[in-house]
Amino acid sequence: MKEFQDKNYWALILGGSSGLGLATAKKLARHGMNICIIHRNSRAQEDDINTEFDNIKAEDVQFKSFNIDAFKPEKREGIITELKTIFGSGGTIRTLVHSVAKGNLKPMVSKDSSTLKNDDFTLTINAMAISLYDWTKAIFKAHLFAKDARIISFTSEGNTKAWKHYAAVSAAKVTLEAITRNIALEFAPFGIRANCIQAGVTDTASLRMIPGSDLIKAHSLKRNPFKKLTQPEDVANAVYLLSKDEASWINGCVIPVDGGEHIS
């Protein structure tokens, strides 16, 4: 029997239509967790995304997706209301996964006018960090968290290292980690654990948007002890481990999942 099958647990994944979020959805579904994915994609991408979603449904779990702007309060409240109906009396959110990649990659210095501005920082930090708290608070207020719940977000080495064009995202990652630590502290009495996964360099669509991403990948291949890049499935496996009963005493951490890349 699948581990989570009889518990009516759900994973709510913010940004689950590709990359780390999608790999996580597949992994958790494989172990019997029901899946809700909130994403924002164009119509041109729908066919490919729906094919991936069909693969998740084939795991014989409940599945719901929302192609919607997850950062608007009224949209968030509408989703929460609908989830209450879908969950019925027994469903709860065991794992909330924050896999949002909506940020600005402008340079600080440029010969033209396309340089990083205050609004670019605001948009990026709100989407990639503060939205974690907004969703946590909304789910908590609606009493949809399981008695033993896990909140997991994805950070990167940009939390301590400077990459060109990455300033806004780097600021968002640091903010995300700070918010995660305080969630871990202040929501612990209610059975909620919160941790960040610091994934190694992973060849996703989000990474390819960073100028110079090929150089980042080449450098990571040289310094990684295993001489290979992190795969989305590696990160998904860590989310699964953190969702297990045995991980209940892991709280408030930034956990590298990179094969040792960060030590070299």
Side-chain angles (χ1 to χ4, degrees):
M1 187 174 66
K2 295 181 179 181
E3 184 173 359
F4 300 116
Q5 192 82 62
D6 62 344
K7 297 181 179 179
N8 204 1
Y9 280 156
W10 284 76
L12 193 156
I13 302 174
L14 303 173
S17 60
S18 64
L20 307 185
L22 179 60
T24 295
K26 291 178 177 178
K27 177 68 177 182
L28 294 179
R30 207 168 296 131
H31 289 272
M33 199 176 291
N34 302 315
I35 303 295
C36 174
I37 290 177
I38 299 169
H39 64 108
R40 192 65 172 146
N41 293 97
S42 66
R43 288 186 177 181
Q45 299 169 306
E46 279 186 356
D47 287 344
D48 289 340
I49 290 170
N50 286 333
T51 298
E52 297 287 6
F53 289 174
D54 286 341
N55 291 334
I56 296 172
K57 295 173 187 175
E59 297 291 347
D60 194 27
V61 296
Q62 295 184 66
F63 179 86
K64 178 66 179 178
S65 65
F66 296 89
N67 189 356
I68 203 167
D69 187 344
F71 309 118
K72 292 185 177 179
E74 65 275 14
K75 301 294 186 182
R76 184 169 56 247
E77 292 305 320
I79 291 171
I80 293 293
T81 298
E82 189 167 344
L83 288 180
K84 283 183 176 180
T85 301
I86 294 170
F87 289 4
S89 59
T92 57
I93 293 173
R94 164 69 155 203
T95 305
L96 170 62
V97 178
H98 188 276
S99 181
V100 174
K102 181 183 179 181
N104 204 292
L105 294 168
K106 293 179 183 177
M108 284 186 158
V109 180
S110 174
K111 292 181 180 179
D112 56 36
S113 60
S114 62
T115 54
L116 205 56
K117 297 178 176 61
N118 184 290
D119 286 350
D120 298 321
F121 275 101
T122 301
L123 181 148
T124 305
I125 293 171
N126 184 63
M128 297 186 73
I130 298 173
S131 62
L132 173 66
Y133 175 62
D134 291 336
W135 275 93
T136 297
K137 185 170 63 173
I139 295 168
F140 179 76
K141 184 179 177 182
H143 306 289
L144 290 181
F145 275 123
K147 291 181 180 179
D148 176 6
R150 316 296 166 85
I151 296 174
I152 301 165
S153 54
F154 299 142
T155 187
S156 73
E157 250 188 335
N159 55 7
T160 57
K161 295 183 178 178
W163 298 336
K164 287 184 178 180
H165 302 240
Y166 202 72
V169 178
S170 183
K173 294 301 186 184
V174 174
T175 304
L176 177 70
E177 292 175 19
I179 289 172
T180 296
R181 281 191 294 270
N182 264 77
I183 290 174
L185 175 68
E186 300 190 40
F187 285 86
F190 304 96
I192 296 171
R193 286 87 171 155
N195 296 285
C196 281
I197 289 176
Q198 181 180 306
V201 169
T202 311
D203 190 11
T204 62
S206 298
L207 176 73
R208 292 177 215 128
M209 292 175 64
I210 301 173
S213 61
D214 286 342
L215 293 175
I216 294 173
K217 287 187 286 186
H219 180 62
S220 296
L221 285 170
K222 288 181 180 179
R223 71 189 181 107
N224 190 294
F226 293 102
K227 305 303 178 188
K228 62 181 184 178
L229 296 180
T230 301
Q231 300 299 308
E233 292 74 20
D234 298 324
V235 180
N237 288 341
V239 175
Y240 161 65
L241 292 174
L242 288 171
S243 297
K244 291 169 66 70
D245 290 345
E246 290 86 347
S248 65
W249 210 233
I250 303 173
N251 189 38
C253 302
V254 176
I255 303 169
V257 178
D258 61 4
E261 190 173 297
H262 68 287
I263 64 175
S264 174

